[in-house]
Amino acid sequence: MTTSLFTSESVAIGHPDKVADQISDAILDACLAKDPNARVACETLVSSNLVVVAGEISINATIDYEKIVRETIKKIGYDRQEDAFHWQNCQVLLTLNRQSPDIARGVSEGQGLYREQGAGDQGMMFGYACTETKEYMPLPIQLSHKLTKELLNQRLFGKLAYLRPDGKAQVTVEYDKNLAPIRIHTVVISAQHDANVDYATVCLDLEEMARSILPKNLVDRHTIFYINPTGRFVIGGPQADCGLTGRKIIVDSYGGMGRHGGGAFSGKDPSKVDRSGAYMARYMAKNIVAAGLCSRCEVQLAYAIAVPHPISIKVETFGTSIIEEAAIARGLTRLFNMTPKGIIQTLNLKRPIYKATAFGGHFGREEEEFTWERTDRANALRTEVLGQATPAFLIVEA
């Protein structure tokens, strides 16, 4: 039997790029909490003992940006006086302007060439769903996220208090010729730790942690574990590496299993279709799979700046569909409002819900605010496309 390997990674809450993402989304949340119509495009850089926040923010309110930056860093865990990157001691530089009026007129209703709200930029977005896990996510990225979330839990509430905020996890899954996961081939965990912990202890503890999280039926005696492969991970976070908003877009989405349009999510209000369009594409892809129309689905949307409707939509089911993909696409256009305003209203996106997305992935989540994870349109979609309600559909639970 021919098999293949696929690998995805996740990064810990204190990874430099994720520190930057969380700061940008914390600022976005603060803006939306005071002004739901705020326009936010916030970029963050973290390095050594420095934070730079730049971008364009138009808001009818006063925001203490520096306070938000410092509180976010503290909550992540850079709170020890010996930390070179410390929430109280780091330098915070702000360079923020208002949104360009040339862009604003194309996004605001009744101000541009079109009466309706237009897209905040051009570009393409992808959504993906499959039956590998109960969350309709690819197994490698979902397991990687579980490992990085467990690193956080063990640091804050478990027995591994010597862990520090930075880290990474990576899982390689072996698939059979039908692309069904059959075993976990390799697990890589790199976790920042206190200087007084020996390497053997870290290896033993983290492998035990991983084995407790990973599906036991997929781990066998041949599964390979690499724990802190350099032998030491004491210096981490922004002290070790520069971090930037939007540099972990594959971690944020599907771990490379589905395509990505290239636009980052964090720090952008929902008028930016880089974010809201990707959420809608996931919402549609997940409902397509939940409706039993296929077992793997990718939806592509594309927009032009200031134009109030998508310029293209494509459904790809990788040969797993029970009906023509064009028929599914037509069903989507009848059931889902894919205009920027329609997406915002459907998914209720003008709320301060975004900091939670900046660690652990934007998809495959079960929290209430992740409205794009609902499967509430599955029955209607199946009826629209096939004329019948959704049957029980086989899900391979991880």
Side-chain angles (χ1 to χ4, degrees):
M1 181 175 64
T2 301
T3 64
S4 60
L5 303 177
F6 195 90
T7 302
S8 296
E9 73 158 349
S10 177
V11 296
I13 195 168
H15 185 281
D17 294 328
K18 279 292 141 196
V19 173
D21 284 344
Q22 288 169 90
I23 291 172
S24 293
D25 272 338
I27 289 173
L28 170 62
D29 279 355
C31 291
L32 292 176
K34 289 193 173 183
D35 181 2
N37 295 312
R39 300 280 170 74
V40 181
C42 180
E43 311 288 346
T44 302
L45 176 149
V46 294
S47 179
S48 185
N49 207 27
L50 172 68
V51 179
V52 179
V53 179
E56 300 80 43
I57 298 180
S58 298
I59 183 173
N60 294 316
T62 300
I63 303 293
D64 189 342
Y65 298 111
E66 181 174 338
K67 181 180 179 182
I68 294 169
V69 170
R70 296 190 186 279
E71 288 179 348
T72 301
I73 296 170
K74 180 182 181 182
K75 189 172 182 180
I76 290 170
Y78 291 108
D79 56 358
R80 302 189 309 173
Q81 289 301 323
E82 59 266 35
D83 289 337
F85 183 78
H86 186 274
W87 71 276
Q88 284 181 311
N89 302 329
C90 64
Q91 183 181 7
V92 178
L93 300 181
L94 303 173
T95 172
L96 296 167
N97 302 301
R98 292 184 64 82
Q99 184 181 51
S100 163
D102 293 345
I103 296 176
R105 72 189 301 269
V107 180
S108 301
E109 286 188 85
Q111 294 187 17
L113 299 178
Y114 299 88
R115 289 179 53 191
E116 298 179 68
Q117 175 180 339
D121 202 352
Q122 71 176 45
M124 64 283 191
M125 304 87 215
F126 291 91
Y128 183 87
C130 62
T131 57
E132 289 181 27
T133 66
K134 64 182 178 62
E135 299 88 0
Y136 295 86
M137 287 288 286
L139 184 60
I141 185 65
Q142 204 68 359
L143 293 180
S144 297
H145 284 325
K146 287 184 178 181
L147 290 173
T148 54
K149 289 176 183 177
E150 187 61 18
L151 288 176
L152 174 62
N153 290 335
Q154 287 295 323
R155 173 166 64 89
L156 296 181
F157 312 113
K159 69 177 184 179
L160 308 184
Y162 61 77
L163 293 176
R164 302 293 298 132
D166 199 359
K168 289 185 175 184
Q170 183 172 287
V171 177
T172 301
V173 173
E174 185 174 351
Y175 290 82
D176 66 19
K177 64 179 181 180
N178 297 315
L179 296 182
I182 54 176
R183 61 182 296 270
I184 295 172
H185 182 277
T186 302
V187 178
V188 183
I189 301 177
S190 294
Q192 186 187 11
H193 56 84
D194 291 343
N196 58 356
V197 178
D198 63 89
Y199 176 65
T201 298
V202 173
C203 288
L204 184 64
D205 287 346
L206 293 187
E207 182 172 336
E208 180 182 346
M209 181 204 79
R211 288 181 179 274
S212 71
I213 293 295
L214 300 172
K216 291 180 172 52
N217 63 311
L218 297 180
V219 178
D220 57 32
R221 62 189 180 90
H222 298 294
T223 299
I224 302 166
F225 289 85
Y226 291 111
I227 309 295
N228 281 14
T230 69
R232 177 182 169 89
F233 189 179
V234 173
I235 300 173
Q239 180 188 0
D241 292 293
C242 175
L244 294 170
T245 298
R247 205 161 59 178
K248 285 292 177 284
I249 59 175
I250 302 305
V251 171
D252 287 343
S253 53
Y254 308 102
M257 186 74 79
R259 284 174 285 194
H260 197 293
F265 304 148
S266 289
K268 297 177 180 177
D269 75 83
S271 71
K272 281 74 172 174
V273 287
D274 277 344
R275 182 170 217 159
S276 56
Y279 291 174
M280 179 55 96
R282 163 65 176 176
Y283 182 43
M284 293 190 293
K286 188 171 181 180
N287 275 272
I288 291 168
V289 176
L293 299 177
C294 60
S295 58
R296 296 174 63 208
C297 181
E298 182 181 79
V299 174
Q300 186 203 46
L301 297 175
Y303 291 86
I305 189 169
V307 177
H309 54 77
I311 62 173
S312 72
I313 175 173
K314 184 180 188 301
V315 175
E316 170 64 63
T317 61
F318 309 95
T320 68
S321 177
I322 63 173
I323 193 172
E324 289 184 356
E325 294 162 340
I328 299 175
R330 288 193 294 270
L332 294 179
T333 61
R334 292 191 290 267
L335 287 180
F336 294 85
N337 187 338
M338 289 170 264
T339 65
K341 182 177 180 179
I343 294 172
I344 291 170
Q345 291 177 339
T346 299
L347 301 179
N348 194 13
L349 296 180
K350 287 188 176 182
R351 298 176 295 147
I353 59 173
Y354 296 101
K355 187 184 175 186
T357 68
F359 165 63
H362 292 242
F363 308 115
R365 306 284 291 270
E366 297 179 341
E367 296 94 321
E368 183 178 355
E369 59 265 36
F370 288 72
T371 53
W372 50 94
E373 292 298 310
R374 300 177 308 199
T375 55
D376 55 336
R377 300 283 184 91
N379 276 330
L381 181 59
R382 184 177 178 91
T383 300
E384 181 70 30
V385 174
L386 297 180
Q388 54 183 290
T390 308
F393 194 69
L394 178 63
I395 304 279
V396 180
E397 294 196 12

